[in-house]
Amino acid sequence: MPTHKSAKKRVITSRKAQIVNRDVRTEIRSGLKKIRQATTKTEVSKELPNMFTLLDKAARRNQGGITKNAASNYKRKIHQALARAK
């Protein structure tokens, strides 16, 4: 356990960040799962703006371990899923 006041504060803030990061990653992964399981283009295009918004926000805020390049890679995979859908 930390003994310094600043170390105690750091434990609290890192725990809060951990919770936010986990929630962001979960939401992104759930959205990707919906897109991959979608069978029609309308289902994919319905989820598309929501996913792009989530990825851009996560990359901008540096949340969930999502960097700008990682967000770009996820977007590419979403576009590929859209192209594969019938």
Side-chain angles (χ1 to χ4, degrees):
M1 288 301 299
T3 55
H4 293 279
K5 186 175 182 179
S6 61
K8 289 178 184 178
K9 289 180 184 178
R10 192 68 193 138
V11 168
I12 293 167
T13 57
S14 65
R15 177 68 180 140
K16 287 179 184 177
Q18 180 185 13
I19 292 168
V20 169
N21 287 336
R22 185 182 59 217
D23 292 344
V24 168
R25 271 194 312 270
T26 301
E27 200 168 352
I28 288 172
R29 287 177 181 165
S30 298
L32 288 171
K33 188 175 179 181
K34 285 182 195 174
I35 288 173
R36 287 185 184 127
Q37 291 177 347
T39 55
T40 63
K41 286 189 186 257
T42 56
E43 292 175 7
V44 176
S45 59
K46 186 173 145 184
E47 189 67 27
L48 191 82
N50 183 32
M51 280 304 301
F52 278 15
T53 303
L54 282 173
L55 289 168
D56 289 338
K57 280 183 181 179
R60 187 175 63 243
R61 296 174 180 166
N62 200 17
Q63 291 177 334
I66 302 293
T67 61
K68 189 168 70 169
N69 286 340
S72 179
N73 289 338
Y74 279 126
K75 288 180 183 181
R76 179 181 54 84
K77 291 175 185 177
I78 291 168
H79 279 296
Q80 287 175 342
L82 181 63
R84 279 193 306 268
K86 296 178 182 179

